[in-house]
Amino acid sequence: SFKDGTGSLNVVESGEDLPFEIHRIYYIYGVEQFASRGAHAHRNLRQLIIAISGRFTVDLTDGVNSESHTLQSPDVGLLLPPGLWRDLHSFTSDGICLVLASHHFDEADYIREYPAFLNWTLTV
């Protein structure tokens, strides 16, 4: 982050700040109260998740260990390696989730059923 009298500038550069090249950028917003997003894992995709507005919580598990992170600042990101099940929830009405991804969209990379995810973790 760079701050001066005119505001703040946050920078994320492939190869400098991230251990991957950015191939896709998307954002999630307008999530209804009590709704959740995610509920999947990726076999290969890496992501950086940033709350560019508002607040939301990211629950992660590798099938054994679990942790929860509340993101609420545009100068803090959560780096996700492949192989983690994620659930995003508790979005504030102004919550905007920005995601920088290492690969283009590939449906075959998704694991969308939790029992299948647990089985997959036994094979990697």
Side-chain angles (χ1 to χ4, degrees), residues 32-105:
E32 298 290 328
Q33 187 179 20
F34 306 117
S36 63
R37 299 291 308 225
H40 65 269
H42 290 281
R43 292 175 173 85
N44 298 301
L45 185 78
R46 297 184 198 179
Q47 297 176 314
L48 177 68
I49 298 177
I50 302 168
I52 58 172
S53 178
R55 180 181 67 244
F56 55 89
T57 300
V58 182
D59 292 336
L60 302 170
T61 185
D62 62 6
V64 176
N65 302 300
S66 299
E67 52 188 50
S68 184
H69 301 272
T70 297
L71 299 178
Q72 57 190 355
S73 177
D75 61 351
V76 174
L78 181 61
L79 188 61
L80 300 184
L84 292 177
W85 185 268
R86 80 276 324 270
D87 285 299
L88 287 72
H89 60 88
S90 302
F91 279 78
T92 57
S93 61
D94 60 343
I96 301 175
C97 171
L98 175 69
V99 181
L100 309 178
S102 64
H103 294 79
H104 295 285
F105 176 81

Side-chain angles (χ1 to χ4, degrees), residues 2 10-22 48 100:
F2 301 94
N10 290 337
V11 177
V12 179
E13 294 184 5
S14 294
E16 296 291 325
D17 304 306
L18 289 177
F20 60 83
E21 271 189 57
I22 300 167
L48 177 68
L100 309 178

